[in-house]
Every structure is written in C-alpha cells, then in structure tokens.
C-alpha cells in the first residue's frame, strides 16, 4: 500500500480487540447519532464535576473541523477529492463515509446542512459562552504557489467558516487556512484578520507546505506583526489524503523557523503519532518518535512560544503520551484543549477499556463516558479529558480556558 490511512487503524483494532469489552456493545461500530442527552447523563456528577473551577465564557474548543460535499444549495464551496467517492480507492472511499457517519451528516437537507445541524445540536449541551473554533482547509499548492485540485484531499474555503462564525457568533469562532506560497498570501491573511479569524491552520503534508522553507518567512513576519497564532499539524497524518505528499513536512523540528521569527505556534496533537527524522543528529539521522522531537522543542529557549493542542491524544494509537503531559506541571499553561471533531464520533478509536487499564480513567467513569459518547461525542471528549488522572494529576483548568490565547481583547497567555 502506497500510503498510510487512518482506516488502517480501524482495521487493526478488529473485532477481537473489542471482544468482551464492557464499554463496547457488540455490533455498534457506527455512531448511533442519538438525539439530546438524557437528563440523567446531563446532570451526572461526572459531568457537573467537569465544570468545577472553569469559567464557561473562557472555554473555547480550539480544533473543530467543518466538512461536507459542497453539493446542493448550501453555497459552502467545500470540495472533496473525487477519489473519495470511487470504489477504485477503497480506503479513501470508506474513510469519507466513516467521517460523515461520525458527524451524522446525512438526510434530505444534504450533507453540508446535516453536518452543521448536528454540530449546533451538540453545542447545546454546553453552557452559554462555550465556543468552538471552526477550521478552514486550504488546497494543495506547488512550490510556485499554484493550487492543484488533483492533489487536494478536502478544501474548506475561508469564506464558508467565516460565514458560519458570523451567523452563529454565540457558538463559533473561525480559523483561516492560507497557503504561504501564494502570491497573495499576505493580503489574504490581512483580510482574514479583518474578518475576525482567530488563527491560521496548516496541515503541511496535505497542503504542500514545508514550514522550514524560506518561502514562509514573509508570512511568518506578518503573523508576528499581527500577533496571530499559527496552528500546525505535527506527526504522522492519517486522516486527510496525503498521497504523494511528504510526511516529513509534519516534523516538529521544522517549527523552529516560525518560532525563531517570534510566531506563537500550536503543534496540533503534540506530535503524538508516528516517527520523524531527527535532523539534529545530521543528514544521515534515523527516525525517532515525533513526540520526542516535540518534547525537545518544548524545552528549548526557542520553544517558549510553542504550545500543544490535546486533540485526538486519547485515541488508542496516541494515548501513551498522556502520563507525560499530565505529569509535566511546567507545560500546563502551554497545552490547549481541542476535540478534533468529528473524530470523537468515530467510536472504535477511543478505547475506554485501555484508558482504564492504563490507570488514566476509573471503570465507573468509563461507563458514564461511553453512555455520553452515544449521544454527544463533543461533550464526551470534554468530560473525558477533564476526568483523566495520572498519579493524582489532571490537566489544569488553563488547558481548557483557551479563549485568552486566541482573543486579543482578553489578553494573551504566554
């Protein structure tokens, strides 16, 4: 197989891994998309405890994806690569349907509208003031700054997520996605800032961006000038089509360049998956875990402006770094909570049983979390992370009160 895929992970889990699991009913591989949270769950002590010590008006989930097909009358402009609708590409074909199932994106109103309706419905389980930061996704561009649809897995235009944030300001903020090689990259950035963008998001392997390239320097200078954060995927990418693209672009060490330029950088997922070449050991260096490189960078003087987001980390192929994150008191102010929605709606990738075995969750907590997940994956992700414990340590409230990092009107966490 020429490329790794998120769905390979699903296949690796297999029915045998779930046999006998108390938190995984037989046959329930799909998101049941159950409506509203029952009162018994909404008022459960575990849910109430999750809000202890938090100001909901400061809680922003900083990593939420918007997806759809762009068909019908939504006017979204979203586009997915045609290979994801072709049985000639079975992994991509299945992958798209898994994501849409996770988001309950089906129905007579069309995929785009169903995706949005479900997200808005899930948000009602959160107190007023809690917001969700919606991500745009730029197309793949070559070194000359030219877009290529054939190499683009999914395209979510800035205009669409901007419109959603402006239409539902009580729940949504938005994050722009701008390719730095574009001739008009700076102009687009400045327009996005005027339109209220809270950050810029890159997925280097899927977008064709080398973060250590000098081609990015002018963009970094503009980000620094406007004090706008840059969110960069780090570690192996499995969810978006990266066929023919370089996974090395996701190496955390490449972030030294924007950090040296004074940019506040968020390493998405804390580089919690895969291996990257340790360029510090020379051109012939071998690979080490991507998280090892993220850790090195966090502890360097240049890394003082480096942050990590907690999205996807409790998944079965990432959770082993959780003890390190929970124990490191010095990092708590630099870890930002995020769900990576709709991924929490893909039930097989969160092995609550394994989190219990690892000593990160209690068995009775896992029972409640599984029940919440069937109704509201967004709330499940939040309550789960508030419940994680290692040697008596939990994620600090600062990890969840992320608004100050992105809202320049409230100040910046440093």
């Amino acid at each position: 197989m020429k490329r790794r895929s998120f769905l390979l992970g699903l296949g690796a889990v297999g029915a045998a891994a779930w046999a006998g699991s108390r938190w995984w009913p037989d046959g329930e591989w799909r998101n049941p998309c159950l409506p509203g949270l029952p009162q018994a769950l909404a008022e459960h002590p575990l849910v109430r405890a999750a809000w202890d010590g938090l100001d909901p008006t400061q809680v922003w989930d900083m990593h939420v994806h918007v997806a759809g097909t762009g068909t019908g009358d939504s006017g979204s402009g979203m586009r997915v690569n045609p290979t994801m609708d072709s049985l000639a590409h079975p992994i991509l074909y299945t992958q798209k349907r898994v994501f849409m199932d996770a988001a309950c994106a089906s129905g007579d109103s069309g995929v785009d509208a169903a995706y949005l309706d479900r997200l808005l419905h899930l948000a009602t389980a959160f107190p007023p003031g809690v917001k969700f930061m919606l991500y745009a996704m730029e197309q793949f561009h070559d070194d000359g700054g030219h877009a290529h649809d054939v190499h683009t897995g999914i395209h979510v235009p800035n205009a669409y997520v901007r419109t959603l944030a402006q239409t539902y300001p009580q729940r949504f903020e938005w994050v722009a996605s701008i390719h730095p090689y574009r001739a008009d990259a700076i102009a687009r950035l400045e327009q996005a800032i005027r339109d209220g963008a809270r950050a810029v998001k890159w997925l280097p392997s899927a977008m064709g961006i080398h973060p250590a390239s000098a081609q990015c320097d002018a963009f970094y200078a503009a980000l620094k000038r406007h004090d706008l954060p840059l969110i960069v995927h780090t570690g192996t990418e499995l969810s978006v089509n990266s066929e023919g693209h370089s996974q090395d672009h996701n190496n955390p060490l490449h972030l030294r360049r924007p950090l040296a330029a004074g940019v506040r950088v968020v390493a998405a997922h804390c580089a919690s998956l895969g291996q990257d070449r340790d360029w510090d050991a020379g051109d012939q260096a071998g690979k080490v875990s991507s998280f090892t490189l993220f850790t090195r960078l966090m502890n360097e003087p240049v890394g003082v402006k480096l942050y990590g987001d907690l999205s996807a980390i409790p998944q079965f192929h990432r959770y082993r770094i959780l003890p390190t994150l929970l124990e490191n008191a010095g990092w708590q102010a630099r870890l930002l909570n995020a769900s990576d929605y709709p991924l929490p709606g893909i039930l097989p990738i969160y092995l609550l049983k394994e989190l219990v075995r690892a000593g990160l969750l209690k068995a009775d907590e896992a029972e409640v979390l599984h029940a919440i997940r069937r109704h509201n994956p967004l709330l499940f992700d939040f309550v789960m992370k508030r419940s994680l414990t290692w040697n008596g340590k939990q994620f600090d409230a600062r990890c969840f009160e992320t608004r100050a990092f992105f809202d320049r009107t409230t100040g910046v966490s440093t």
Side-chain angles (χ1 to χ4, degrees):
M1 189 164 296
K2 295 182 179 180
R3 64 179 292 275
R4 299 180 66 189
S5 167
F6 158 79
L7 286 178
L8 294 180
L10 292 184
V13 175
W18 288 102
S21 171
R22 296 170 58 199
W23 306 293
W24 190 258
D26 289 343
E28 192 181 40
W29 286 85
R30 298 185 62 184
N31 183 354
C33 298
L34 298 180
L37 204 63
Q39 187 175 2
L41 287 177
E43 298 179 358
H44 193 279
L46 190 67
V47 176
R48 293 201 305 268
W51 293 104
D52 286 348
L54 290 182
D55 177 356
T57 67
Q58 302 303 310
V59 175
W60 288 7
D61 178 340
M62 59 141 294
H63 193 144
V64 174
H65 289 285
V66 178
T69 62
T71 57
D73 58 1
S74 72
S76 69
M78 289 188 289
R79 178 187 177 276
V80 296
N81 196 295
T83 58
M84 300 189 81
D85 288 311
S86 170
L87 289 173
H89 301 269
I91 291 177
L92 296 177
Y93 180 89
T94 305
Q95 185 180 51
K96 176 186 173 182
R97 281 141 189 84
V98 167
F99 290 146
M100 293 300 103
D101 176 76
C104 305
S106 62
D108 296 337
S109 60
V111 171
D112 298 3
Y115 191 106
L116 174 60
D117 288 347
R118 178 65 173 177
L119 181 55
L120 287 167
H121 171 72
L122 298 180
T124 63
F126 291 78
V130 176
K131 290 191 178 186
F132 304 88
M133 297 178 65
L134 307 182
Y135 281 14
M137 174 68 77
E138 175 72 288
Q139 297 163 284
F140 175 89
H141 286 63
D142 60 27
D143 289 346
H146 305 294
H148 290 267
D149 286 346
V150 69
H151 295 305
T152 299
I154 181 171
H155 177 214
V156 181
N158 289 328
Y160 181 56
V161 291
R162 179 196 66 211
T163 297
L164 293 180
Q166 292 174 346
T167 304
Y168 305 98
Q170 73 280 12
R171 284 302 187 190
F172 296 153
E173 298 287 342
W174 76 285
V175 174
S177 187
I178 302 167
H179 202 292
Y181 299 175
R182 298 180 62 116
D184 62 350
I186 307 303
R188 283 178 171 261
L189 173 63
E190 292 175 344
Q191 183 61 56
I193 292 170
R194 288 192 293 271
D195 290 339
R198 299 295 188 172
V200 170
K201 168 66 188 300
W202 290 350
L203 205 173
S205 60
M207 293 170 62
I209 302 171
H210 194 318
S213 169
Q215 286 182 273
C216 301
D217 286 350
F219 197 80
Y220 293 151
L223 288 172
K224 172 64 168 61
R225 185 166 62 251
H226 293 285
D227 193 26
L228 199 73
L230 175 65
I231 305 166
V232 185
H233 177 96
T234 51
T236 298
E237 164 58 27
L238 299 180
S239 297
V240 177
N241 180 15
S242 300
E243 187 171 2
H245 307 169
S246 177
Q247 287 280 356
D248 177 68
H249 286 358
N250 302 330
N251 189 321
L253 295 182
H254 297 327
L255 300 182
R256 285 189 177 127
R257 195 171 191 107
L259 290 168
V263 178
R264 289 185 291 139
V265 180
V266 181
H269 318 300
C270 295
S272 52
L273 184 65
Q275 294 186 323
D276 280 302
R277 195 167 300 281
D278 185 359
W279 293 114
D280 291 347
D283 291 343
Q284 303 303 315
K287 291 187 175 183
V288 299
S289 77
S290 302
F291 182 65
T292 294
L293 302 180
F294 168 78
T295 299
R296 182 187 303 167
L297 209 55
M298 284 285 280
N299 292 326
E300 292 178 354
V302 73
V304 68
K305 288 183 176 288
L306 179 65
Y307 297 74
D309 89 5
L310 299 178
S311 64
I313 291 175
Q315 293 173 5
F316 77 93
H317 48 345
R318 298 177 184 267
Y319 76 90
R320 289 173 181 82
I321 73 166
L322 281 169
T324 300
L325 297 179
L326 288 162
E327 282 191 319
N328 197 321
W331 286 6
Q332 295 301 301
R334 295 162 65 194
L335 298 176
L336 308 173
N337 184 54
S339 65
D340 207 4
Y341 182 83
L343 267 60
I346 305 176
L347 275 61
I349 62 177
Y350 290 86
L351 298 177
L352 296 177
K353 183 176 181 179
E354 292 304 313
L355 295 178
V356 172
R357 285 178 175 173
L360 291 158
L361 279 178
K362 298 176 182 177
D364 58 344
E365 293 172 338
E367 295 272 14
V368 176
L369 288 167
H370 174 68
I372 293 173
R373 174 169 56 176
R374 302 180 74 241
H375 292 269
N376 194 317
L378 265 182
L379 187 65
F380 155 76
D381 186 83
F382 171 76
V383 176
M384 172 181 55
K385 287 181 184 144
R386 288 290 282 165
S387 304
L388 292 169
T389 305
W390 182 257
N391 290 335
K393 297 180 180 178
Q394 296 180 294
F395 286 122
D396 194 270
R398 291 172 293 178
C399 302
F400 299 87
E401 295 182 335
T402 61
R403 175 178 177 175
F405 182 80
F406 296 100
D407 187 354
R408 286 169 290 174
T409 67
T410 63
V412 175
S413 299
T414 57

